[in-house]
Amino acid sequence: MCGIVGIYSTSPVNQGLYDALTVLQHRGQDAAGIVTLQEGNLFLRKANGLVKDVFHTRHMRRLKGNMGVGHVRYPTAGCASSAEAQPLYVNYPYGIVLAHNGNLTNQDDLKKELYEANQRHINTSSDSEILLNVFAHELQIDSNQSLSPENIFEAIEGVYKRCKGAFAAVALITGHGMVCFRDPYGIRPVVFGKKEVNGKTEYMVASESVALNALDFELVRDIKPGEAIYIDDDGNLHTQQCAEFHEPAPCIFEHVYLARPDSFIDDISVYRARLRMGEKLADKISRDWKEHDIDVVIPIPDTSTTSAMELAHKLNIKLRHGFVKNRYIGRTFIMPGQQMRKKSVRQKLNAIDIEFRGKNVLLVDDSIVRGTTSKQIVDMARAAGANKVYFASAAPAVRYPNVYGIDMPSAKELIAHGRTNEEIGELIGADKLIYQELSDLIETCREGNPKITRFDTSVFSGEYITGDVDNDYLDALDKKRNDLAKSDSADEKSDEDNDENDQTIMELHNVGGA
């Protein structure tokens, strides 16, 4: 899960990119970066940390130009090294920078192919560098000084033929313009918008529509699965379907957890989808637990609040905000290392005792991944004086890892993997555990856009829609994602961040020109 943004404007874009990245900060808190383009020169600033900590006034002043791209990242299976902060750059042909959200499922084969057949060396463990080099190589095949939209779209067709998995990417091609493309299944989201300024049209692409809203861009539409858009240096918009048609299957977990509630993804209101999740949960409780003794519904902030609100309303039960959240702590399920997660939960939430004391409480969360957070929250509710503690998940049981760009952990670390719902409830210490039905979750999203007939639900069903994920792939992924591997990666990151020669945390610098 990362956030990408690209802006073509008639005025400097540095502030707009910064503002957009702050709006997309929830999609990644590990690293941030911006590249701008002016008169054939690319200007870069990227480093580990939050947007507000990476960019200072001196950096912003040096990010010159009316076109640029930005990225916020959290690492998936790769190392958290600052060397992998995006956007990434390659100097041939033309000079290209790229920001990417997603994960290539055939990256190992591509890396070998790029080295042996294309004579391109990949310097990091990032699949984004692989995607960038594949795109660069496809542009290189027909490279000339009069690069046309047709040449660019043909190169992207080559990317689609070679790359498998999930990707939404935005790139700058020095001397030519900005291009954005989305994987053939539309797994990862990306939208584009426009606005008129002094009779000229400006364009913006972003992972979520909320970033467009923040900069007063009008949402035009989602970029279609397998589609590319290209804005040339003169501000002309070109679009083309570059991949053979696949039935769209966007990631349903965007609506459960990843996206902001004020975003629209594939014409589906995230907020309304979460309201319907609460409604479906209430229906299940009314159907399967008619004699419930719930006194109060308490959401676990913040993602579950919308669902909990509708659940309480439909069951005619009081909703109370029983937890105070420290908003300066990151999202816990994406934090490497079990000890860091345990410590973070205690720092992140504090219970208001009077909302729990002597009551039978129903805690509502968006999902349960490792179960570490859920268990501690149940314990906190009991310590605050709750009589009984019930737990409801707005999503079904997460039983399988994600391979399309979300850092769902090793299957062995997922509390629901290989366990019954009763066993999970016992492990987290709940008196009763209620999960959303997968069919109901799908319906909550399809109701927002009936044209979408299926979603990527692999974390719940174990069905991987790209058709190239088998047990061998999952076993290899397991080795990369287990906590021990991440602990080693975190140590490497700490060493690198203390290295005075680490170029990714240097002052803003020019990284190339045409």
Side-chain angles (χ1 to χ4, degrees):
M1 180 182 72
C2 297
I4 63 172
V5 59
I7 301 177
Y8 171 91
S9 179
T10 58
S11 58
V13 295
N14 52 355
Q15 188 64 52
L17 291 167
Y18 177 94
D19 292 342
L21 291 183
T22 60
V23 172
L24 297 174
Q25 185 76 85
H26 62 285
R27 300 189 67 88
Q29 296 109 43
D30 184 73
I34 290 175
V35 171
T36 57
L37 176 61
Q38 182 185 56
E39 297 178 352
N41 290 320
L42 293 164
F43 299 92
L44 165 70
R45 169 62 182 173
K46 62 179 181 177
N48 282 344
L50 300 175
V51 174
K52 67 181 180 64
D53 298 321
V54 169
F55 302 100
H56 301 154
T57 301
R58 65 183 184 276
H59 306 130
M60 297 296 290
R61 286 174 177 168
R62 297 171 185 171
L63 288 170
K64 304 173 183 177
N66 297 350
M67 189 186 307
V69 300
H71 188 268
V72 286
R73 181 200 73 168
Y74 89 96
T76 51
C79 165
S81 164
S82 53
E84 296 185 7
Q86 297 185 42
L88 297 172
Y89 169 76
V90 67
N91 67 349
Y92 183 78
Y94 309 109
I96 305 170
V97 292
L98 177 140
H100 164 229
N101 175 32
N103 184 58
L104 302 183
T105 52
N106 64 334
Q107 59 179 293
D108 292 339
D109 292 337
L110 283 172
K111 185 173 183 178
K112 182 178 180 182
E113 183 182 297
L114 282 166
Y115 182 76
E116 295 179 350
N118 303 147
Q119 292 79 52
R120 285 182 172 270
H121 173 67
I122 304 301
N123 197 48
T124 70
S125 60
S126 170
D127 63 317
S128 302
E129 187 185 7
I130 293 172
L131 180 62
L132 169 60
N133 276 273
V134 170
F135 180 45
H137 178 75
E138 295 300 320
L139 275 178
Q140 173 187 336
I141 293 175
D142 293 318
S143 62
N144 55 68
Q145 294 301 313
S146 57
L147 186 65
S148 68
E150 291 73 23
N151 297 139
I152 292 173
F153 291 138
E154 184 177 351
I156 295 172
E157 288 178 9
V159 171
Y160 284 130
K161 290 175 182 177
R162 296 177 67 177
C163 297
K164 298 178 181 179
F167 47 90
V170 58
L172 299 180
I173 307 173
T174 308
H176 296 282
M178 182 174 74
V179 63
C180 182
F181 52 94
R182 188 182 186 189
D183 68 78
Y185 292 93
I187 301 171
R188 298 267 65 86
V190 63
V191 299
F192 83 94
K194 66 178 182 179
K195 66 179 176 180
E196 301 298 320
V197 178
N198 298 324
K200 295 185 178 180
T201 305
E202 299 181 347
Y203 293 97
M204 178 176 175
V205 299
S207 293
E208 295 183 33
S209 62
V210 66
L212 274 62
N213 298 340
L215 273 66
D216 293 325
F217 277 79
E218 172 194 355
L219 172 65
V220 175
R221 59 177 173 83
D222 296 83
I223 294 178
K224 299 174 185 176
E227 182 187 27
I229 69 170
Y230 167 53
I231 300 103
D232 63 32
D233 270 349
D234 296 322
N236 300 307
L237 174 67
H238 311 266
T239 68
Q240 184 168 308
Q241 188 69 26
C242 294
E244 62 180 89
F245 176 78
H246 291 280
E247 185 180 1
C251 175
I252 205 165
F253 209 72
E254 290 280 352
H255 297 281
V256 171
Y257 176 78
L258 301 181
R260 276 183 38 158
D262 43 349
S263 283
F264 278 78
I265 296 177
D266 295 301
D267 286 333
I268 301 169
S269 163
V270 176
Y271 176 77
R272 290 189 176 277
R274 290 177 183 167
L275 284 176
R276 291 189 288 267
M277 290 175 204
E279 184 178 343
K280 293 290 187 182
L281 265 179
D283 289 341
K284 182 175 182 179
I285 291 172
S286 297
R287 182 179 65 248
D288 299 342
W289 190 16
K290 296 179 180 179
E291 303 303 323
H292 72 77
D293 57 351
I294 303 167
D295 296 319
V296 62
V297 174
I298 296 179
I300 298 169
D302 282 321
T303 319
S304 66
T305 301
T306 307
S307 297
M309 179 173 63
E310 187 66 10
L311 181 151
H313 174 72
K314 188 152 191 183
L315 291 178
N316 195 27
I317 299 173
K318 291 184 295 183
L319 176 80
R320 291 291 185 265
H321 296 282
F323 292 106
V324 176
K325 181 179 179 181
N326 180 350
R327 301 184 183 279
Y328 300 96
I329 299 293
R331 292 178 137 180
T332 53
F333 101 83
I334 63 175
M335 289 184 175
Q338 192 77 348
Q339 292 303 317
M340 185 182 298
R341 281 189 295 274
K342 287 182 178 180
K343 182 179 179 181
S344 174
V345 173
R346 291 295 182 181
Q347 294 174 336
K348 182 178 181 179
L349 295 176
N350 188 55
I352 302 174
D353 290 6
I354 59 174
E355 297 296 354
F356 292 89
R357 193 174 300 122
K359 300 176 183 177
N360 298 332
V361 301
L362 175 64
L363 304 179
V364 180
D365 207 351
D366 51 80
S367 59
I368 305 172
V369 182
R370 292 177 175 88
T372 308
T373 300
S374 303
K375 185 180 187 319
Q376 291 190 62
I377 290 173
V378 169
D379 290 345
M380 290 170 66
R382 293 198 189 281
N387 181 32
K388 292 182 181 179
V389 181
Y390 307 124
F391 203 103
S393 168
V398 176
R399 302 186 187 276
Y400 305 93
N402 184 280
V403 302
Y404 299 128
I406 307 173
D407 194 23
M408 291 294 185
S410 157
K412 298 173 184 176
E413 298 173 36
L414 296 168
I415 192 171
H417 185 73
R419 293 189 176 99
T420 65
N421 292 355
E422 290 74 19
E423 290 171 334
I424 300 165
E426 290 179 8
L427 285 172
I428 67 173
D431 293 296
K432 188 177 183 64
L433 174 63
I434 305 107
Y435 273 116
Q436 185 84 264
E437 297 294 331
L438 180 56
S439 58
D440 285 342
L441 176 63
I442 293 171
E443 185 60 30
T444 64
C445 295
R446 284 200 66 240
E447 189 174 330
N449 183 359
K451 293 180 181 178
I452 299 177
T453 58
R454 68 169 179 166
F455 293 84
D456 166 45
T457 61
S458 52
V459 298
F460 309 120
S461 65
E463 298 174 3
Y464 296 95
I465 59 173
T466 52
D468 59 336
V469 178
D470 55 20
N471 288 333
D472 289 340
Y473 180 92
L474 293 176
D475 288 343
L477 189 67
D478 184 88
K479 294 177 182 178
K480 292 181 180 179
R481 288 190 175 179
N482 65 63
D483 271 340
L484 179 60
K486 284 188 176 179
S487 177
D488 293 342
S489 177
D491 290 342
E492 292 171 7
K493 176 189 172 198
S494 177
D495 290 343
E496 289 174 5
D497 286 350
N498 289 324
D499 185 350
E500 293 181 357
N501 295 319
D502 185 353
Q503 291 186 347
T504 64
I505 56 172
M506 286 175 59
E507 292 285 340
L508 176 74
H509 60 284
N510 182 303
V511 295

